[in-house]
Amino acid sequence: MEKPKFYITTPIYYPSDKLHVGHTYCTVAADTIARYKRLRGYDVFFLTGTDEHGQKIERKAQEAGKTPQQYVDEIVASIKELWKLMNISYDDFIRTTEERHKKVVQKIFTKLYEQGDIYKSEYEGWYCTPCESFWLDRQLVDGKCPDCGRPVERAREESYFFRLSKYQDALMKYIEEHPEFIVPQSRANEMINNFIKPGLEDVCVSRTTIKWGIEVPFDPKHVIYVWIDALSNYITALGYMSEDDSRFKKYWPADVHLVGKEIVRFHTIIWPAMLMALGLPLPKTVFGHGWLLLEGGKMSKSKGNVVDPVILAQKYGVDSLRYFLLREIPFGADGYFSEDALKNRHNSDLANDLGNLLSRTVAMIEKYFDGVIYHPEEEEEIDNELKRLAKEVYENVCKLLDEFQFSNALIEIWKLISRANKYIDQTMPWVLGKDKSKYPRLKTVLYNLAEVLRVVAVLIEPFMPQTTPKILQQLGISKDENLDITTWESASQYGLIPEGTKVKRGEPIFPRIIEKEENAVEDTNKQEVKRPEGAVPADDKNEEQKEYITINDFAKLELRVAKILEAHRIEGADKLLKLIIDLGDEKRQIVAGIAKHYSPEELVGKKIVVVANLKPAKLRGVESQGMLLAASIGDELTLITPEKDIKEGAKVK
């Protein structure tokens, strides 16, 4: 039976001296989906590449004393090396300076011109060189580019224009009838309200003041502007309008374009209008993801706030970086990047949770059964709970990956990992190992731990492709044509490891990153407050001296209901627990000083009230993005919880 087709793309990146971790974020996400779809049996085509023409390249090459081609060749080589380092499994890498691309772009331009969708006129308006975007007066923000905030130049020249206005009604109708076309919905609302409803204007698609680009074939003094040039890559790479268009016929339309939110406008307005003019079907989904932000705002080379993914990969490992990028931020939302958060994820989730689970399991199998895995002999209800959770996690991960919810999919997998670690504490295999009569039960416990690790190894493969074989090798599991228990579908089944499988302990798969922590804070609920000059301690005040706040002061607090998804102890901190909470529209991590009053197990699933707009703080090196509310008197403490069940994210007023 023929495999189902799946075509996924990233934007073709503009060559700069170095790609930063923000670019890596999008490409790793696309790679994860491509790997997942291949594991599900799809015939996948994954495209990435580079957009190499334009005024910015022309100027930078001149400054470097190189030709534009020399300039981009050097940079593209480094981009390909980065993708190799990050294990990006693309099927094609398209460069807009390749002949296969340039020839087809000229054919597309000619076709649109001959049918009247492109016409010659004169352009006068504002132009942002870094963004390569034209803007009207009403679109500028404080006289600057609305996308990047940098100065614009006044441009006036003879140009060719694409009749974008002609396709306004058709585009609006398509978006309304295909809600899956622009995802998430907030991006669709932005396109409709900010661009389509105010009225689309014809767009300039050629320049005469630039030489570095693809010539208009019937008017060589004009160079084809970037959006006709760059956007066409998604079909030129497939061989559209070429002698061999078999790939185009096979894979188009694209299943998903993954793009940064700053270029959603071009991919959901100009690009689909071009496709309509060419008589071609539109991509099924354009997913506009958010930005990785630093304290200085969006990462940008011009701002000098970029983070080098090569250095991060060398320090923490490629899979640790991939895990962090996909786990830390719900895909589609903006999120803050910090190396401290990356280190904490590495040490907590990967070294402590997953790495220790594997090390402990393999060590115990070697200690008690000479490294041999035996089938279960004495089963209890706690074993059935673990089996049911494994099946539930598999189903949820499939659903979430189909919806590009990488962070939530990883949360699901870590539920199984956390449950397996708790299972060890509950079954206490070290106690069973002291009594030979309890070995039948011990065989069952250790088999279940090995089997959970097999399921986990399969489920994390799209996210962390280097880690999966390391886990399987220590479990003694290899690919077998007659009995393959490492396929994606095998993770939906429990109990597949054959009896007699021999484990082999190896090095820790995620060694801890140990750095000296300074200024550690013991308790997240204790924050130093600077006392106003002349104020006396609260214990010494009488009722008349009490300080009041106004309703405006209270209104500054954003109190929201959250659900606790995970709870973990923090190594070396007796009072602190790390909580993963669901606020309805996002997941967050908070640290709370309640470990002496609540165990991690009894917190999972509980609804609490949190201060959602508290400035993030680092406690014992672990970032806390908010604070829960609790009441205490003496040694007693209780969490503040809603009286009735209410949806996560509800505001407390």
Side-chain angles (χ1 to χ4, degrees):
M1 189 174 73
E2 188 178 6
K3 292 182 178 180
K5 309 296 187 298
F6 188 81
Y7 179 28
I8 183 170
T9 76
T10 69
I12 51 173
Y13 297 109
Y14 205 87
S16 59
D17 293 343
K18 187 178 292 183
L19 284 186
H20 56 71
V21 74
H23 297 116
T24 308
Y25 173 51
C26 178
T27 310
V28 166
D31 180 70
T32 299
I33 289 296
R35 289 178 179 274
Y36 163 67
K37 290 294 185 178
R38 291 189 193 106
L39 288 169
R40 296 302 303 267
Y42 283 76
D43 178 354
V44 172
F45 193 79
F46 171 20
L47 176 70
T48 189
T50 43
D51 164 21
E52 302 176 19
H53 291 129
Q55 190 174 61
K56 186 162 60 173
I57 290 291
E58 197 172 55
R59 289 179 179 178
K60 285 191 169 290
Q62 188 175 16
E63 291 169 6
K66 300 174 182 177
T67 67
Q69 191 66 57
Q70 289 172 330
Y71 180 78
V72 295
D73 283 349
E74 293 172 5
I75 296 175
V76 169
S78 67
I79 291 172
K80 287 187 173 181
E81 283 300 312
L82 174 59
W83 293 160
K84 182 178 179 181
L85 171 68
M86 295 303 300
N87 284 315
I88 305 301
S89 60
Y90 60 79
D91 296 289
D92 196 0
F93 188 103
I94 183 75
R95 299 181 60 183
T96 58
T97 53
E98 294 179 62
E99 285 301 314
R100 61 167 173 158
H101 175 77
K102 292 193 290 186
K103 287 179 179 178
V104 176
V105 168
Q106 288 179 323
K107 290 180 181 179
I108 290 172
F109 196 96
T110 301
K111 176 179 172 63
L112 295 177
Y113 175 75
E114 290 177 346
Q115 67 188 34
D117 282 301
I118 286 179
Y119 62 93
K120 184 187 283 189
S121 185
E122 187 177 76
Y123 175 81
E124 181 175 4
W126 298 105
Y127 182 69
C128 176
T129 298
C131 294
E132 295 203 315
S133 300
F134 290 104
W135 299 103
L136 302 172
D137 285 310
R138 62 178 171 84
Q139 294 174 314
L140 299 180
V141 177
D142 297 326
K144 297 180 180 179
C145 173
D147 276 352
C148 70
R150 285 173 282 199
V152 292
E153 304 172 24
R154 194 69 180 172
R156 179 173 183 171
E157 61 183 289
E158 179 184 87
S159 301
Y160 285 92
F161 286 77
F162 172 62
R163 296 186 191 277
L164 184 62
S165 58
K166 173 181 173 182
Y167 295 94
Q168 175 169 323
D169 292 342
L171 186 57
M172 185 70 188
K173 184 173 184 289
Y174 186 88
I175 293 172
E176 290 176 341
E177 293 178 351
H178 297 82
E180 75 285 356
F181 177 55
I182 308 176
V183 179
Q185 182 60 41
S186 59
R187 307 276 186 257
N189 296 340
E190 181 185 354
M191 294 304 108
I192 292 169
N193 296 326
N194 294 357
F195 297 102
I196 300 177
K197 283 186 175 179
L200 296 178
E201 301 198 16
D202 294 350
V203 60
C204 175
V205 291
S206 80
R207 303 290 304 277
T208 57
T209 55
I210 301 173
K211 300 302 178 188
W212 179 239
I214 302 171
E215 290 183 351
V216 173
F218 50 84
D219 196 348
K221 71 177 181 179
H222 284 261
V223 165
I224 297 173
Y225 180 58
V226 63
W227 296 115
I228 293 284
D229 176 359
L231 287 167
S232 299
N233 89 91
Y234 302 120
I235 53 179
T236 63
L238 297 179
Y240 174 68
M241 281 190 172
S242 71
E243 293 179 1
D244 181 4
D245 63 354
S246 56
R247 287 206 305 196
F248 175 77
K249 291 177 179 176
K250 183 177 183 181
Y251 292 107
W252 190 259
D255 290 272
V256 60
H257 292 321
L258 289 189
V259 301
K261 65 179 183 179
E262 75 278 11
I263 54 174
V264 168
R265 175 168 64 99
F266 309 112
H267 285 79
T268 60
I269 295 178
I270 298 176
W271 176 228
M274 283 172 54
L275 291 169
M276 288 177 177
L278 292 169
L280 299 177
L282 275 55
K284 297 174 185 175
T285 296
V286 178
F287 196 113
H289 65 78
W291 290 336
L292 280 183
L293 304 172
L294 297 176
E295 287 206 8
K298 180 195 171 194
M299 286 187 204
S300 164
K301 186 173 180 294
S302 64
K303 292 182 179 180
N305 67 347
V306 299
V307 178
D308 190 337
V310 175
I311 293 174
L312 294 175
Q314 290 170 344
K315 185 173 182 180
Y316 298 96
V318 170
D319 275 8
S320 183
L321 177 56
R322 286 177 62 114
Y323 173 81
F324 172 79
L325 292 173
L326 297 169
R327 171 64 181 82
E328 190 74 4
I329 305 162
F331 200 63
D334 290 346
Y336 282 89
F337 173 88
S338 76
E339 190 171 346
D340 285 334
L342 169 56
K343 184 187 72 175
N344 292 333
R345 284 280 178 206
H346 175 96
N347 284 343
S348 177
D349 298 6
L350 300 179
N352 286 359
D353 295 345
L354 177 56
N356 282 347
L357 177 62
L358 177 64
S359 297
R360 295 168 75 188
T361 299
V362 173
M364 288 188 289
I365 294 172
E366 286 188 337
K367 178 178 180 180
Y368 298 117
F369 298 112
D370 295 322
V372 177
I373 298 176
Y374 289 93
H375 273 166
E377 293 187 11
E378 290 185 8
E379 295 189 296
E380 298 178 4
E381 178 56 28
I382 192 173
D383 309 317
N384 294 327
E385 291 175 6
L386 196 62
K387 294 176 188 178
R388 287 194 293 268
L389 180 61
K391 182 174 178 58
E392 177 186 310
V393 165
Y394 170 83
E395 293 171 351
N396 289 342
V397 168
C398 291
K399 179 178 181 293
L400 291 167
L401 280 179
D402 286 335
E403 298 171 353
F404 311 107
Q405 294 190 46
F406 305 103
S407 180
N408 288 341
L410 285 168
I411 288 173
E412 284 294 315
I413 297 170
W414 253 253
K415 282 183 185 176
L416 184 56
I417 293 170
S418 298
R419 185 66 188 86
N421 279 312
K422 180 181 176 183
Y423 177 82
I424 293 176
D425 296 335
Q426 291 174 315
T427 57
M428 296 184 289
W430 53 89
V431 174
L432 299 174
K434 293 179 180 179
D435 186 345
K436 292 282 186 181
S437 68
K438 295 182 179 178
Y439 268 32
R441 177 62 187 153
L442 181 58
K443 289 178 181 178
T444 301
V445 169
L446 296 181
Y447 183 88
N448 283 330
L449 292 173
E451 184 65 358
V452 164
L453 281 163
R454 178 192 70 83
V455 172
V456 166
V458 173
L459 294 180
I460 66 172
E461 186 173 356
F463 306 91
M464 298 183 284
Q466 289 182 342
T467 301
T468 294
K470 292 178 182 178
I471 296 174
L472 294 176
Q473 183 178 23
Q474 292 200 34
L475 291 175
I477 298 172
S478 60
K479 297 280 186 180
D480 188 319
E481 292 181 2
N482 299 317
L483 181 65
D484 191 351
I485 59 174
T486 63
T487 64
W488 186 265
E489 285 71 21
S490 75
S492 67
Q493 303 173 59
Y494 195 91
L496 298 185
I497 297 179
E499 186 169 68
T501 299
K502 190 80 179 283
V503 303
K504 183 179 180 182
R505 195 183 340 183
E507 295 295 321
I509 57 174
F510 291 105
R512 284 183 58 81
I513 304 294
I514 301 176
E515 294 178 357
K516 185 178 180 181
E517 296 290 351
E518 297 180 356
N519 303 320
V521 180
E522 279 290 329
D523 193 330
T524 186
N525 291 320
K526 295 179 180 178
Q527 297 195 19
E528 183 180 354
V529 179
K530 188 174 181 180
R531 187 178 296 126
E533 187 176 350
V536 295
D539 292 343
D540 296 337
K541 289 186 175 184
N542 58 32
E543 187 66 22
E544 286 73 30
Q545 292 173 310
K546 184 178 294 183
E547 294 183 21
Y548 291 93
I549 66 171
T550 68
I551 189 66
N552 291 332
D553 293 327
F554 179 77
K556 294 177 182 178
L557 289 177
E558 183 184 342
L559 302 178
R560 296 171 64 187
V561 173
K563 181 178 180 180
I564 300 176
L565 302 176
E566 301 177 42
H568 306 280
R569 296 189 183 278
I570 295 177
E571 186 175 346
D574 295 338
K575 298 180 181 179
L576 302 182
L577 292 179
K578 181 185 75 173
L579 310 178
I580 305 299
I581 61 171
D582 184 356
L583 279 167
D585 57 353
E586 62 173 313
K587 306 293 188 299
R588 281 201 201 170
Q589 172 179 291
I590 64 173
V591 179
I594 58 173
K596 292 187 178 296
H597 305 276
Y598 291 90
S599 67
E601 293 77 22
E602 64 183 305
L603 288 172
V604 175
K606 188 179 289 291
K607 294 282 182 74
I608 58 174
V609 177
V610 300
V611 182
N613 62 338
L614 188 68
K615 183 179 180 180
K618 197 175 298 178
L619 310 170
R620 282 297 180 91
V622 181
E623 187 174 40
S624 182
Q625 302 165 319
M627 182 174 70
L628 60 77
L629 298 188
S632 66
I633 183 169
D635 292 332
E636 296 182 27
L637 180 144
T638 184
L639 296 177
I640 304 299
T641 60
E643 178 191 5
K644 297 180 180 179
D645 191 29
I646 190 169
K647 190 172 178 60
E648 300 92 288
K651 290 187 177 181
V652 179
K653 301 178 180 180

